[in-house]
Amino acid sequence: MSTPGLRPATLFRLAWRESRTARRRLALYMSSIALGVAALVAIDSFAGNVTRSIREQSRALLGGDLQLGARGEMPTVVDTLLDSLATTGVRHARVTSFASMALAERSGNTRLVQVRAVGDGYPFYGTIETQPANQWASAHGDAPVVYVDPSLLVALDAQVGDSLRLGRQMFTIAAALGNVPGDAGITAVIGPRVFVSERWLSAMGLLQFGARAEYEAVLKLTAGNDGTREAADLQRFLRRRIDPRYVDRTDAEAEERDRAAGALGGGERLDDTTAVADTAAQPVAARVRVRTVADTEQDFTEAVAQLADFLSVIGLIALLLGGIGVASGVHAFVVSKIDTVAVLRCLGASSRQVLTLYVLQAGAMGLVGAAAGTLLGVGIQFVLPGAVADVLPLEVAPTLEARAIGTGLAIGVWVALVFALRPLLALRRVSPLQALRRATDEAAVPREWTDPWRLAVDILLVGSIVGLTIARTGSVREGLGVTVAISVAVGVLWVAATLLIRVARRSVRAGWPFALRQGVANLYRPANQTRAVTLALGFGAFLLSTVYLVQSNLLRRFDIAEQASAGNLLFFDVQDDQIDALTSLVTDGGYTVVERTPIVTMRIASVNGVSAQRLMNDTTGNRPRWVFRREYRSSYRDSMSPSEVLVSGTWTADSAARERRRGPNGPYEVSLEEDVANDLMVAIGDTITWDVQGVRVATVLTSTRKVNFARFETNFFAVFAPEALRRAPQQFVLIANVPDPSALARLQRDAVRAYPNVSSLDLSLIRNTIGAIIERVTLAVRFLGVFCLAIGIPVLFSAVAATRRARLREGVLLRTLGASRALVRRVLFAEYAALGVLGAFTGMGLAFGGAWALMHWVFKDTFVPAWGAAAGIIAAMVTLTAGIGLLTSRDVHRETPMAALRDS
Amino acid sequence: MLVARGLSKDYASGDRPLTVLHEVSFEIPRGAYVSIVGPSGSGKTTLLGLLAGLDTPSRGSVLLDGTDFSALGEDQRAALRGEKVGFVFQSFQLIPTLTALENVQVPLELRGDTSPSDAAARARDLLDRVGLHGRSHHFPTQLSGGEQQRVALARAFVNAPRILFADEPTGNLDGSTGARIVELIEELNRERGTTVVLVTHDASLAERTQRTLRLRDGYVIEDTVRVPTAAGSIPTSLPSASA
């Protein structure tokens, strides 16, 4: 035995030649992984493109180097600080955003819009594009002009040059808005934007008592001092000056740098005794957020990374499912090569040479499959920016991401090889004796459970799955969780298939029709494919059904149409001295006022005698800080609303009974929404003191409610007994029922003319808008579902092809013995239908479990089974399985029995 | 050349082992032309498998050219087969994805001691020798049964084997085609001095060989040595086979 053995070049040549008739089949099996690779490459590449665009455009996203923002008027210390900074060369521009009614004078149409009143200089980075071009230059001139979203022109039936009223001020529409830095186009779906100079704020007269507005100040640092570190230093400085309670871990270091000359530019620096926020004031003031470009970058890239991680888990699962397809297909391939391998062994090939030969073939085809997937992924990556353009607040220029491509390709080839290796190992055990005396396929490749190589490959397989999921999710815990979930699903499907085999064996009756008997017998006969098909089909059904079930549950929350309140016109920001007149305006027209709800703004001063400050600073309490910071918009009434359900305590509608219980100086009764009560960690009988525009109102918690916020009724976290707030400063919300659309538009116009500060909403319009948004979400979710189904098809083909030879042989024999084509088809149909039913039902069962878990643990809602969708998916799966089975077996009918016998 | 000593083979059948070959012993000298005959189920294919090193005996041993086949591992036996053994099968067993030329080259490629061009040249010569000049680029499905078996013959002889095992080489062929194959085997046997062991149920084919071992129920019941034929002389002293 002194011969050198098969040379590498010869091995490659032999592998290439020997693969001649198998390439197409192997490529089909490997296409199982193509979709998974495509998903990974597309997601990673797009995420890379977006991250790069974020870095390049982050300043434009923020509009400056720093941004201060608050949901209410900023404390005066901010003004002082900004003025001081201005003396050092740091420019700033204010942006005030709020909702208001816009009235087109010519057409008389009205629409609720988002007004953005901006200061001179905004945006400091990027430019606001207009149509006609270059019109933004006149924004801060003496002429009152506005710049509006193109959709608003359509909605108001207006055009550039028309007059538009906002509050008490008339404007001319100077241009339509094009690209606005930092704004995603999709916000126009919620409410069209109107940009105006801040010099017209007081003229508009819209920011009255109780009006909700977002206040921002954008800063531009001086040249040379606008780096990341300088911005971070200024951020820390501002935070400490605005809220001295702010604690920075690197405080000492920051102090040192603050005192260094030139940190703020211009040689002049802010004195540490500069006006400080009033710390003695209670309750907690509106929080001022201070953000830098780095924060914006980080937030965006984190959000992109999280979304990419989530989607890539789907892609990874698709890839692993594809691996199952590869394993099934390669198993079929191995069976078809038994004769060739036996001959090679007779001619002197070692088991290692044989294995290498076919691993090379599998590897090459895996590369083909992965390459095809990579190309597809790159194609999708180039299409994505256009598809999601109006959802992203920045422009994404698609470029090839070498890392994403390389990673996708490598993972694809690896998965294909690892899954192919398992069935290929069996070739080592093909005896050369098979060339003399051919045993059945199963006997020719016997399974040896204690084969160390097989165990090693199994460990490699499991290890690869765990490693890939951990790498994708970025977390060991989550990666292991996903792996365990996949393993449980595979285990359940395996057990289900085994049970079916046993049940089938016991249930076959001699009295059954031949086709049924034969089809069911095929489920448990020696070369059955029950497990492989159940696994492939069941997993695909599991993924697809989980997506659909979760989607239908989530969409149920927004089922607005069925929950429509009686009213269809909503007025809000109605002042105390306007409500009666507005009510008359509605009723004089012959329309019904459905609801007239007072709204009182307040904050929490103390709970059970402990101040909100202390509770917020108490880190052991686990209470979220926002419950103490936020401004509550509460109401008062005697009775509960239809969207509320009492969870604990009692609701007393009778005011006399309430007064008796309260006594002369006792606390008023208040009801909280259950989640807010949990966050505040209060129970029935606890006392809460509220700061209502400077007046303390003591209350006792008498009930908690579950509120359906998705309904179109006014809903509140806190509802008081009327006697508590009847005399408090308040505004109103009024809901009217105006059936006629043109009358509704007229009423809106009349209200805007009479009360410019009052905003109104046509609820049917809102329903349509939200419906449009939900439609997009639904499309995205349904795309995921279709993707899952698309993965399943090549995998199913591979699984079914695994025993194609046995199918052919049997079918041909039946025909030789006198069976008609129709009978053979019925036999096949019986078998595949049974497999389809088993796989679909088991997958659906798993999906119910998975969807329940997701709804319960992630979305914190109850799971409602969607029986209709489930039945539809099961029917589709059974049809698909039967169809694919019959398709792959059509060769039975192609040739004459003689020819087929000769070939087989 | 080939020595079988006490060869036995058992198969598991239910609870008890089934012995298909019982203590078979004989010797076959170099250059001999031997047939093994017997009815279906007599154990002749089992015996062939053991002699060719394709299977492991339950008891006993096989020595090929002095090397104990049964003591070698599977890969070592494969290597030995590649060096010294040629095969011709009843069902031809050509690799369907390779051309006639490529099929013939496989044993040389597996050995790795011949350059690709030399291997191709030798394969071409052998194909010419078996009368398939001009068919070297055809696939097995494009060849008739007889042509396929001739390709198999060329493949069997390409690595100049010491011994050729043929399992029912004419079983799937018609009379005249089968006769031509047998003639080729005998010619190559004479030209190259290759020992030939041939399993057949065809009595007339067995008559052409120099020695016939007859099996029944796993026993060698007869060992017939014939008068030397045109195939050449054979050693006259042979140990008698045990019954």
Side-chain angles (χ1 to χ4, degrees):
Chain A
M1 281 166 264
S2 58
T3 56
L6 200 54
R7 298 174 191 179
T10 313
L11 185 65
F12 275 96
R13 208 168 31 245
L14 190 58
W16 174 250
R17 284 181 201 152
E18 210 282 308
S19 71
R20 274 181 189 126
T21 56
R23 279 172 218 157
R24 210 165 40 178
R25 240 182 314 145
L26 275 178
L28 174 65
Y29 306 147
M30 294 302 174
S31 70
S32 304
I33 59 161
L35 278 174
V37 171
L40 289 177
V41 169
I43 291 161
D44 285 348
S45 297
F46 186 63
N49 287 171
V50 171
T51 305
R52 180 176 307 138
S53 299
I54 287 169
R55 278 200 197 99
E56 289 164 1
Q57 300 172 42
S58 52
R59 283 204 155 87
L61 282 172
L62 200 62
D65 297 307
L66 272 107
Q67 183 201 63
L68 281 70
R71 291 213 175 101
E73 290 257 16
M74 295 212 221
T76 49
V77 62
V78 172
D79 297 329
T80 312
L81 285 166
L82 290 177
D83 291 340
S84 298
L85 283 170
T87 65
T88 65
V90 176
R91 294 174 59 194
H92 71 270
R94 304 266 189 171
V95 179
T96 310
S97 307
F98 52 93
S100 173
M101 293 305 287
L103 168 65
E105 281 296 315
R106 187 171 58 84
S107 63
N109 292 330
T110 63
R111 183 56 56 90
L112 187 68
V113 299
Q114 299 179 57
V115 177
R116 296 239 210 290
V118 302
D120 194 5
Y122 179 88
F124 291 117
Y125 297 100
T127 50
I128 294 180
E129 293 170 4
T130 59
Q131 185 59 245
N134 304 320
Q135 294 302 303
W136 181 254
S138 50
H140 300 285
D142 291 333
V145 291
V146 289
Y147 305 82
V148 305
D149 263 324
S151 59
L152 183 61
L153 292 176
V154 173
L156 294 176
D157 188 23
Q159 52 203 27
V160 171
D162 282 358
S163 295
L164 187 80
R165 178 182 288 279
L166 289 172
R168 290 195 298 263
Q169 179 66 42
M170 191 70 75
F171 295 92
T172 305
I173 300 174
L177 286 168
N179 181 47
V180 177
D183 254 26
I186 198 166
T187 58
V189 175
I190 301 164
R193 298 163 298 175
V194 174
F195 276 73
V196 65
S197 170
E198 65 169 355
R199 67 185 286 182
W200 306 109
L201 259 178
S202 55
M204 285 190 277
L206 289 170
L207 294 179
Q208 297 196 12
F209 169 76
R212 303 178 69 156
E214 177 93 12
Y215 296 86
E216 290 170 359
V218 177
L219 278 63
K220 185 176 188 327
L221 300 179
T222 55
N225 291 303
D226 52 4
T228 310
R229 189 161 147 174
E230 288 84 352
D233 287 344
L234 182 58
Q235 181 188 37
R236 259 194 304 279
F237 173 80
L238 288 171
R239 278 178 173 161
R240 281 207 315 279
R241 290 297 177 272
I242 293 169
D243 183 356
R245 286 177 304 271
Y246 172 73
V247 174
D248 186 352
R249 283 199 193 93
T250 59
D251 225 17
E253 200 184 312
E255 285 272 24
E256 191 58 43
R257 276 212 293 278
D258 281 350
R259 296 188 192 291
L264 298 167
E268 204 176 325
R269 57 182 179 83
L270 289 177
D271 195 281
D272 279 355
T273 57
T274 306
V276 164
D278 180 7
T279 60
Q282 295 222 16
V284 179
R287 184 166 159 253
V288 177
R289 303 179 307 272
V290 183
R291 296 171 54 78
T292 63
V293 164
D295 293 332
T296 304
E297 252 185 58
Q298 190 180 351
D299 286 350
F300 270 106
T301 50
E302 265 177 22
V304 168
Q306 277 176 1
L307 184 62
D309 282 347
F310 168 70
L311 290 174
S312 63
V313 169
I314 304 278
L316 187 64
I317 291 176
L319 194 59
L320 295 177
L321 191 62
I324 295 174
V326 164
S328 303
V330 171
H331 177 73
F333 172 74
V334 160
V335 166
S336 74
K337 290 296 174 182
I338 292 171
D339 294 333
T340 301
V341 168
V343 168
L344 286 171
R345 297 287 273 135
C346 286
L347 298 178
S350 68
S351 54
R352 186 184 301 179
Q353 285 171 336
V354 159
L355 184 63
T356 308
L357 197 71
Y358 290 102
V359 167
L360 279 175
Q361 288 184 15
M365 288 302 117
L367 188 62
V368 167
T374 303
L375 275 175
L376 181 63
V378 168
I380 294 171
Q381 173 214 346
F382 274 76
V383 164
L384 274 175
V388 299
D390 56 357
V391 181
L392 292 175
L394 68 167
E395 278 185 38
V396 179
T399 53
L400 291 179
E401 296 276 338
R403 194 156 169 261
I405 290 171
T407 308
L409 200 61
I411 293 177
V413 172
W414 175 254
V415 167
L417 265 178
V418 164
F419 276 86
L421 201 55
R422 209 170 180 277
L424 282 177
L425 278 183
L427 287 175
R428 291 159 41 246
R429 293 192 305 280
V430 171
S431 167
L433 207 55
Q434 296 299 323
L436 274 185
R437 194 203 335 256
R438 185 69 160 82
T440 61
D441 291 350
E442 281 298 301
V445 278
R447 290 174 195 202
E448 284 179 27
W449 298 104
T450 55
D451 181 3
W453 278 95
R454 186 185 155 114
L455 287 172
V457 168
D458 284 346
I459 290 169
L460 187 66
L461 192 62
V462 172
S464 298
I465 295 172
V466 172
L468 283 171
T469 49
I470 289 175
R472 280 285 134 178
T473 56
S475 148
V476 172
R477 192 163 157 262
E478 284 179 20
L480 284 175
V482 170
T483 310
V484 166
I486 293 172
S487 309
V488 165
V490 167
V492 167
L493 288 165
W494 193 263
V495 167
T498 306
L499 282 174
L500 175 68
I501 290 170
R502 287 196 190 156
V503 165
R505 187 174 280 133
R506 287 185 174 81
S507 65
V508 168
R509 296 282 175 269
W512 286 4
F514 176 78
L516 181 63
R517 201 169 1 113
Q518 193 68 10
V520 172
N522 284 345
L523 293 174
Y524 61 81
R525 64 150 202 265
N528 75 75
Q529 57 189 338
T530 307
R531 284 191 184 88
V533 173
T534 304
L535 199 60
L537 179 67
F539 211 90
F542 163 51
L543 280 182
L544 176 64
S545 307
T546 305
V547 167
Y548 256 82
L549 289 173
V550 169
Q551 167 207 308
S552 70
N553 271 267
L554 289 178
L555 293 179
R556 201 171 45 87
R557 285 181 174 185
F558 301 105
D559 198 357
I560 306 154
E562 289 172 15
Q563 298 169 17
S565 64
N568 64 342
L569 178 58
L570 173 80
F571 292 98
F572 59 97
D573 285 344
V574 182
Q575 301 302 310
D576 202 355
D577 56 356
Q578 295 171 329
I579 183 63
D580 290 334
L582 185 62
T583 306
S584 300
L585 185 64
V586 171
T587 52
D588 288 351
Y591 308 113
T592 324
V593 170
V594 171
E595 193 178 318
R596 199 172 116 148
T597 307
I599 297 181
V600 182
T601 55
M602 59 190 68
R603 293 186 193 274
I604 291 178
S606 66
V607 176
N608 290 328
V610 182
S611 74
Q613 291 289 9
R614 248 181 84 183
L615 287 168
M616 202 175 62
N617 294 334
D618 176 14
T619 52
T620 62
N622 282 332
R623 293 182 180 88
R625 292 162 78 89
W626 70 268
V627 289
F628 299 104
R629 274 191 194 286
R630 71 169 286 136
E631 182 183 71
Y632 287 83
R633 299 170 79 83
S634 309
S635 186
Y636 58 84
R637 44 179 148 82
D638 282 316
S639 54
M640 293 179 69
S641 82
S643 59
E644 297 172 333
V645 171
L646 194 69
V647 171
S648 66
T650 52
W651 181 290
T652 308
D654 179 15
S655 59
R658 290 198 303 266
E659 283 298 312
R660 275 196 304 276
R661 239 194 335 263
R662 176 176 166 252
N665 294 313
Y668 297 99
E669 292 186 10
V670 71
S671 174
L672 289 180
E673 191 268 335
E674 61 172 345
D675 288 334
V676 168
N678 289 337
D679 286 336
L680 277 171
M681 295 171 80
V682 290
I684 303 297
D686 285 349
T687 55
I688 305 167
T689 303
W690 305 82
D691 187 298
V692 182
Q693 319 294 328
V695 174
R696 297 296 167 98
V697 177
T699 62
V700 59
L701 183 65
T702 51
S703 64
T704 61
R705 300 157 290 126
K706 188 178 175 60
V707 180
N708 183 357
F709 286 99
R711 285 179 64 120
F712 264 139
E713 274 133 358
T714 51
N715 293 306
F716 300 94
F717 286 140
V719 176
F720 290 68
E723 51 273 19
L725 297 178
R726 200 174 278 126
R727 287 189 298 277
Q730 57 200 256
Q731 23 156 239
F732 286 82
V733 163
L734 188 142
I735 302 180
N737 185 21
V738 185
D740 177 36
S742 52
L744 188 146
R746 254 194 326 273
L747 193 51
Q748 278 186 291
R749 192 182 55 229
D750 293 346
V752 159
R753 284 193 203 279
Y755 314 106
N757 61 293
V758 172
S759 299
S760 62
L761 275 175
D762 177 354
L763 293 181
S764 59
L765 197 65
I766 292 299
R767 280 191 203 103
N768 293 342
T769 305
I770 293 180
I773 295 171
I774 290 172
E775 187 66 37
R776 283 175 184 244
V777 172
T778 308
L779 267 177
V781 174
R782 289 224 168 109
F783 172 75
L784 265 182
V786 168
F787 178 74
C788 294
L789 186 65
I791 301 162
I793 294 177
V795 174
L796 203 53
F797 263 109
S798 300
V800 165
T803 53
R804 185 172 163 272
R805 277 161 61 103
R807 193 76 55 256
L808 280 178
R809 222 178 281 141
E810 183 181 294
V812 159
L813 277 172
L814 283 174
R815 286 191 62 206
T816 310
L817 294 172
S820 66
R821 292 181 188 205
L823 180 65
V824 171
R825 258 196 294 271
R826 281 203 300 277
V827 169
L828 289 171
F829 181 79
E831 181 184 354
Y832 285 112
L835 284 170
V837 164
L838 174 74
F841 269 95
T842 314
M844 184 61 65
L846 282 168
F848 268 58
W852 175 87
L854 277 171
M855 290 306 298
H856 185 77
W857 300 113
V858 177
F859 297 109
K860 311 244 188 277
D861 202 349
T862 48
F863 169 67
V864 174
W867 298 112
I873 291 171
I874 289 174
M877 287 277 157
V878 173
T879 310
L880 189 68
T881 314
I884 289 175
L886 290 173
L887 204 64
T888 52
S889 303
R890 67 190 185 284
D891 291 346
V892 172
H893 311 298
R894 258 201 204 137
E895 303 168 343
T896 62
M898 189 61 226
L901 273 172
R902 210 170 29 232
D903 287 345
S904 68
Chain B
M1 175 71 226
L2 185 69
V3 178
R5 287 203 187 106
L7 270 185
S8 298
K9 183 67 183 178
D10 302 329
Y11 289 110
S13 172
D15 297 333
R16 300 170 300 164
L18 176 69
T19 304
V20 297
L21 213 57
H22 299 265
E23 307 270 326
V24 170
S25 299
F26 54 83
E27 282 185 36
I28 297 176
R30 195 179 302 277
Y33 183 22
V34 178
S35 58
I36 301 174
V37 301
S40 179
S42 59
K44 54 183 191 298
T45 304
T46 304
L47 178 59
L48 185 70
L50 292 173
L51 294 177
L54 303 180
D55 200 1
T56 312
S58 303
R59 290 175 296 283
S61 63
V62 173
L63 272 72
L64 174 68
D65 224 13
T67 309
D68 185 352
F69 243 149
S70 35
L72 298 178
E74 185 51 55
D75 284 346
Q76 290 166 314
R77 276 188 282 185
L80 191 62
R81 285 196 295 271
E83 264 191 67
K84 301 191 178 184
V85 179
F87 286 95
V88 176
F89 301 97
Q90 179 177 1
S91 54
F92 325 132
Q93 295 290 21
L94 296 180
I95 297 173
T97 50
L98 303 181
T99 62
L101 185 72
E102 290 163 352
N103 262 287
V104 175
Q105 283 176 234
V106 168
L108 294 176
E109 287 175 333
L110 289 174
R111 281 175 61 156
D113 58 0
T114 313
S115 70
S117 52
D118 285 347
R122 276 168 69 170
R124 223 172 273 120
D125 285 344
L126 268 165
L127 282 174
D128 288 348
R129 178 68 185 84
V130 299
L132 288 177
H133 176 76
R135 305 300 298 277
S136 55
H137 294 295
H138 287 199
F139 289 93
T141 49
Q142 296 169 304
L143 303 171
S144 68
E147 287 167 340
Q148 289 187 55
Q149 196 62 299
R150 279 188 269 167
V151 173
L153 256 182
R155 181 180 68 185
F157 277 97
V158 77
N159 62 343
R162 305 285 178 84
I163 186 165
L164 173 76
F165 291 99
D167 177 33
E168 307 275 10
T170 60
N172 283 354
L173 304 171
D174 60 75
S176 60
T177 312
R180 179 69 193 120
I181 294 297
V182 171
E183 279 168 20
L184 276 170
I185 290 175
E186 290 169 355
E187 282 168 21
L188 289 166
N189 163 248
R190 278 196 300 275
E191 281 169 22
R192 297 168 186 233
T194 309
T195 309
V196 176
V197 176
L198 192 150
V199 165
T200 184
H201 62 268
D202 183 351
S204 60
L205 176 54
E207 289 288 317
R208 294 168 70 112
T209 62
Q210 299 161 348
R211 177 180 173 190
T212 298
L213 295 163
R214 186 174 299 277
L215 265 67
R216 187 190 293 164
D217 296 330
Y219 294 94
V220 176
I221 58 169
E222 200 179 302
D223 186 352
T224 309
V225 178
R226 291 187 185 81
V227 176
T229 65
S233 61
I234 54 168
T236 52
S237 60
L238 284 170
S240 56
S242 55

